[in-house]
Amino acid sequence: MIETVERKQWLRALMLMVFFLGSASVVGILFDLIGFPETNIVIIYLFSVILISRFTLGYAYGITASITATLLFNYLFTVPYYTLTVDNPSYFITFGVMVTTAVITSALTIRTNQNKQHAEEREKEAKALYSLTSRLTDAVDISQIISISIHIISEVLDCQAACVPFDHKGEPAPFFLQEVGANKQVKIELKEPQELKDQILNLRNGYDASSEDFHDWPIYGQDHILGVMRIPTENARALDHTHKRLLLSMIENTALAMERVYLAEERLKSREETTQERHRGNLLRGISHDLRTPLSGIMATSEMLKEMTDSEDSRYSMMEAINNDAIWLHSLVENVLSLTKLQDGRLILKKEKEALEEIIDEAVRQIKKRSPNQRITVSMPNELILIPMDSKLIMQVFINLLENAIKHNPSAAPVDIEVQKDSEAKEVTVSISDQGQGIDENDLENIFQPFYTSSSKHADAYNRTGLGLAICDSVIKAHGGQIEARNKKDKGAELIFTLPLEGEPNGKAE
């Protein structure tokens, strides 16, 4: 197709050269018969060269016309006539001036013509981009963007453009939308979506021409591919540099519009999730506040009834079970309240320098109330370790981690607490480990997520609510420390967290 177009352009240029030079020769003969001077005939030939340069493309035609005009002038109007020989040497100067003038004039005319053509192309390109951009601005979803884009591209390139959309995960749709007529678009099944994806992903720049029916241009977003613009092979091969540049510009505008829609969808989804999270937090907070008072009463009453009942009495175990469950529920309520405050950013850290040993002793004492038979070993430096902390929150961290360890620990095995001070790093590392079966590898990355529970029995701590470790994570990070979980080499799991020896001023927990 390209060769056919070039052949037509060459034939048109040849016909123009024959017409204008022939006309100039006829007029020159008339001028010679009338007796006009030769300079007038030279001007006629120069004018014909200008016209040829004006209506043809490229310097070759203008230069060829200049030389041909000089030869015609020599053949028809210099002695001896009808030959290319010259008797008068002064004619060589005339021929030289004539060729030089014709070439320069032709070059200037061609340059002007090319500038005009480039200006028209830029104007056409600007109009096409403006039309595309203005219509894409009003598009509200991906399907509209694709429809508008292939319609405009089909009009500008005079082809039947098509587009394959990709989803958020970068997977191609099983179809492509193609313009098949004036304001008519159809969905066509895409036979090998995965093959198309692989070809596009391996494409670093340019386009893919492996298909017999289409040349494919990728539509890239910031993070992943958004789609593929398809131009029929015959039309794609006929595209010159200008039209390819225009096509790339329109594809970039399409990508920007698609990115805008995806970002708007993500913002809407994020806003909905935020609203749902706020409602959930308000609900949990309200329920937790309502449960606090009756739970405190149940705990106190059950504890009092235990003390009033002989341990051999059959009712004693029932009261003990009620007391333990009430304690667990109260701990759960405190965890829910702390979590909602942390997530809302309303929890104020009240930091004071506290002795870490006292915090650990108090946490162990409270755990012993609930699990009196559990052995807990503590290993820490002999020196007094003072840490700026919110003692209530750090106490809750120790209790949650100890409950988690006891939950997974064999009844006869101890739970170990180990404290190490790193003076150079200016932090304290605390390790709480058990001798259970460890944590499933699939759960290690997720156990600090709120409400995360595993299908295995080694999930989050107490009664598997999925809150205890999430609160520990938030509290430790609010204090400027880090927390992680890992399995020990021999047996069991180990939860390790750090606390800085020099803390930030009091403020909101992030």
Side-chain angles (χ1 to χ4, degrees):
M1 182 175 181
I2 296 176
E3 293 178 356
T4 302
V5 173
E6 291 179 349
R7 188 180 297 110
K8 288 182 178 179
Q9 290 178 350
W10 182 83
L11 289 174
R12 176 177 176 276
L14 181 61
M15 292 174 63
L16 287 173
M17 289 175 61
V18 170
F19 174 75
F20 285 123
L21 291 176
S23 299
S25 298
V26 171
V27 173
I29 293 172
L30 291 176
F31 280 10
D32 186 54
L33 292 175
I34 295 172
F36 285 178
E38 293 178 348
T39 53
N40 292 334
I41 300 175
V42 171
I43 292 174
I44 292 299
Y45 276 113
L46 290 176
F47 182 65
S48 69
V49 171
I50 292 174
L51 291 176
I52 292 170
S53 301
R54 168 64 181 81
F55 293 105
T56 58
L57 298 174
Y59 290 98
Y61 300 116
I63 294 173
T64 302
S66 301
I67 296 174
T68 305
T70 303
L71 294 175
L72 285 172
F73 177 78
N74 178 34
Y75 186 81
L76 295 174
F77 302 106
T78 61
V79 180
Y81 297 107
Y82 311 118
T83 66
L84 295 178
T85 59
V86 179
D87 289 343
N88 188 352
S90 63
Y91 275 117
F92 287 109
I93 298 175
T94 302
F95 296 157
V97 173
M98 185 177 176
V99 171
T100 303
T101 305
V103 169
I104 293 174
T105 305
S106 172
L108 292 175
T109 304
I110 292 172
R111 177 68 62 83
T112 303
N113 193 29
Q114 289 179 342
N115 289 338
K116 178 184 176 183
Q117 185 180 11
H118 291 161
E120 290 175 350
E121 290 176 351
R122 286 194 295 269
E123 181 182 5
K124 182 180 178 181
E125 181 178 345
K127 286 182 178 179
L129 290 175
Y130 174 77
S131 175
L132 178 63
T133 304
S134 60
R135 294 187 61 181
L136 287 178
T137 302
D138 299 328
V140 296
D141 57 37
I142 298 298
S143 60
Q144 285 187 1
I145 291 174
I146 293 174
S147 177
I148 291 170
S149 298
I150 63 174
H151 177 68
I152 298 294
I153 292 175
S154 297
E155 283 187 345
V156 173
L157 302 182
D158 191 23
C159 67
Q160 294 183 344
C163 183
V164 182
F166 281 49
D167 60 19
H168 290 81
K169 298 179 180 179
E171 296 297 327
F175 66 87
F176 61 89
L177 188 68
Q178 184 174 16
E179 182 100 354
V180 295
N183 299 319
K184 184 179 180 181
Q185 298 175 349
V186 295
K187 282 185 179 180
I188 301 176
E189 180 184 0
L190 185 62
K191 295 181 180 179
E192 298 290 343
Q194 191 61 42
E195 181 179 346
L196 174 65
K197 176 186 175 183
D198 294 339
Q199 291 171 351
I200 294 300
L201 290 178
N202 293 329
L203 189 65
R204 294 293 177 264
N205 48 41
Y207 57 91
D208 178 63
S210 60
S211 171
E212 296 181 359
D213 301 322
F214 295 98
H215 284 193
D216 297 322
W217 275 263
I219 305 174
Y220 285 116
Q222 291 183 351
D223 302 323
H224 61 279
I225 188 169
L226 304 174
V228 173
M229 190 64 67
R230 317 194 82 184
I231 305 298
T233 299
E234 184 178 359
N235 301 104
R237 289 174 178 170
L239 294 178
D240 56 18
H241 175 72
T242 301
H243 286 96
K244 286 183 179 179
R245 185 183 64 206
L246 176 58
L247 175 60
L248 290 175
S249 298
M250 290 191 288
I251 289 176
E252 288 179 2
N253 281 13
T254 302
L256 290 174
M258 296 175 78
E259 286 269 82
R260 172 178 57 80
V261 170
Y262 281 133
L263 289 175
E265 292 176 353
E266 289 178 3
R267 284 196 297 268
L268 179 61
K269 182 180 179 181
S270 177
R271 192 180 302 117
E272 291 175 351
E273 290 177 350
T274 301
T275 302
Q276 293 175 358
E277 190 67 29
R278 185 170 62 250
H279 290 333
R280 184 177 69 171
N282 291 337
L283 177 63
L284 290 173
R285 194 160 42 248
I287 293 174
S288 299
H289 276 294
D290 291 341
L291 289 175
R292 250 180 170 179
T293 301
L295 282 174
S296 298
I298 293 172
M299 288 168 58
T301 303
S302 60
E303 184 69 29
M304 182 178 62
L305 289 175
K306 277 177 58 180
E307 293 177 355
M308 295 171 57
T309 305
D310 188 87
S311 60
E312 301 296 330
D313 195 321
S314 60
R315 293 171 295 182
Y316 183 86
S317 59
M318 297 172 58
M319 296 172 191
E320 186 176 34
I322 292 172
N323 183 256
N324 289 337
D325 286 342
I327 291 173
W328 174 79
L329 283 173
H330 187 270
S331 175
L332 175 61
V333 167
E334 292 298 326
N335 282 340
V336 169
L337 286 173
S338 298
L339 183 63
T340 54
K341 288 181 180 179
L342 285 167
Q343 290 179 338
D344 293 345
R346 298 187 302 105
L347 187 63
I348 306 298
L349 294 181
K350 299 178 180 178
K351 290 185 180 180
E352 293 183 1
K353 284 201 172 185
E354 302 282 352
L356 183 59
E357 183 179 3
E358 295 180 1
I359 300 297
I360 295 175
D361 287 344
E362 179 60 24
V364 171
R365 187 184 67 81
Q366 292 192 28
I367 290 295
K368 283 289 189 178
K369 287 183 179 180
R370 307 173 194 180
S371 304
N373 297 325
Q374 177 62 52
R375 287 195 298 141
I376 300 175
T377 65
V378 179
S379 173
M380 60 185 304
N382 293 326
E383 62 179 302
L384 181 65
I385 301 177
L386 295 176
I387 300 176
M389 67 174 81
D390 187 314
S391 59
K392 182 179 179 181
L393 293 178
I394 298 300
M395 177 83 67
Q396 193 170 358
V397 168
F398 274 103
I399 291 173
N400 287 346
L401 294 182
L402 286 170
E403 285 179 341
N404 189 78
I406 293 170
K407 179 71 176 179
H408 303 144
N409 203 46
S411 57
V415 170
D416 301 318
I417 302 175
E418 183 179 357
V419 178
Q420 294 180 350
K421 180 180 178 181
D422 189 340
S423 300
E424 293 184 0
K426 296 183 179 180
E427 66 180 16
V428 170
T429 301
V430 179
S431 168
I432 298 178
S433 59
D434 60 60
Q435 298 182 27
Q437 297 182 14
I439 304 171
D440 192 288
E441 293 294 332
N442 296 326
D443 297 328
L444 282 175
E445 296 182 358
N446 301 308
I447 60 173
F448 294 109
Q449 299 297 323
F451 302 101
Y452 177 81
T453 57
S454 171
S455 57
S456 69
K457 66 179 182 179
H458 308 295
D460 189 12
Y462 208 67
N463 281 11
R464 300 172 58 142
T465 61
L467 289 176
L469 295 182
I471 291 173
C472 294
D473 180 68
S474 298
V475 170
I476 294 300
K477 289 180 178 177
H479 281 77
Q482 297 293 328
I483 187 170
E484 64 173 330
R486 64 190 182 194
N487 290 316
K488 295 192 298 183
K489 293 181 179 180
D490 48 0
K491 191 177 182 181
E494 188 177 22
L495 290 163
I496 303 170
F497 67 89
T498 62
L499 288 173
L501 293 171
E502 297 178 0
E504 298 293 330
N506 292 334
K508 286 187 177 182
E510 298 296 334

